[in-house]
């Protein structure tokens, strides 16, 4: 059963999320405000669309909550594992997709995806973080088939 991610905010909104790094910052990051329990899935996909008025780079990360660590401390200090980058061309919406394969044993750890943009304003829309079923026959699951218990 697919469940909406209640902590991204602006779901179903008419406007895209706009990231504008502060003048002193070299990047800006958007992420859920909490870790999600992953239901023993090992494969994930982070998808969406992004647009910038000039060339920009979008980087994706996943952060795993260490066992025994409180959520607030983990958000501040848990390492960010890079899962990919996408080059944005100026003025056009670009679809992005980042696939995540967790290491054995990590499927029980809460996790959260993060998107980071370089120093340019970027709009992000249609974000989804999908947990996939484990393949029954050694083949990857069909796109659009969410993980369920």
């Amino acid at each position: 059963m697919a469940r909406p991610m209640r902590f991204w905010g602006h779901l179903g909104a008419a406007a895209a999320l706009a990231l504008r790094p502060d003048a002193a910052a070299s990047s800006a990051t958007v992420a859920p405000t909490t870790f999600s329990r992953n239901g023993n899935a090992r494969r994930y996909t982070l998808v969406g669309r992004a647009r910038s008025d000039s060339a920009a780079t979008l980087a994706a990360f996943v952060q795993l909550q260490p066992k025994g660590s409180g959520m607030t401390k983990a958000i501040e200090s848990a390492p960010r594992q890079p899962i990919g980058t996408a080059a944005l061309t100026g003025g056009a919406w670009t679809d992005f997709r980042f696939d995540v394969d967790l290491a054995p044993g990590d499927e029980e750890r809460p996790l959260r995806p993060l998107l980071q943009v370089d120093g340019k304003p970027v709009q992000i829309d249609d974000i989804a973080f999908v947990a996939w079923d484990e393949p029954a026959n050694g083949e990857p699951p069909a796109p659009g088939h969410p993980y369920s218990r």
Side-chain angles (χ1 to χ4, degrees), residues 73-97:
K73 182 177 180 179
I75 286 173
E76 294 171 358
S77 63
R80 295 178 177 186
Q81 300 173 16
I83 57 175
T85 60
L88 306 178
T89 57
W93 281 99
T94 302
D95 293 333
F96 62 82
R97 176 184 174 137

Side-chain angles (χ1 to χ4, degrees), residues 5-127:
M5 306 260 298
R6 64 183 181 267
F7 38 74
W8 278 97
H10 304 291
L11 293 176
L17 174 66
L19 292 177
R20 292 183 181 88
D22 293 335
S26 61
S27 65
T29 303
V30 64
T33 58
T34 186
F35 290 89
S36 63
R37 293 184 191 112
N38 65 11
N40 294 324
R42 287 189 51 207
R43 299 181 62 216
Y44 292 85
T45 301
L46 177 60
V47 295
R49 304 180 73 202
R51 180 187 179 281
S52 180
D53 289 336
S54 59
T57 301
L58 180 68
F61 302 86
V62 69
Q63 192 177 36
L64 297 169
Q65 183 174 351
K67 291 180 182 180
S69 175
M71 182 183 64
T72 302
K73 182 177 180 179
I75 286 173
E76 294 171 358
S77 63
R80 295 178 177 186
Q81 300 173 16
I83 57 175
T85 60
L88 306 178
T89 57
W93 281 99
T94 302
D95 293 333
F96 62 82
R97 176 184 174 137
F98 304 107
D99 294 314
V100 180
D101 290 311
L102 297 178
D106 284 346
E107 65 271 9
E108 297 177 6
R109 296 170 58 189
L111 75 163
R112 71 186 194 134
L114 301 94
L115 289 171
Q116 180 178 305
V117 298
D118 57 18
K120 299 176 180 68
V122 173
Q123 294 176 314
I124 299 174
D125 203 3
D126 300 331
I127 300 170

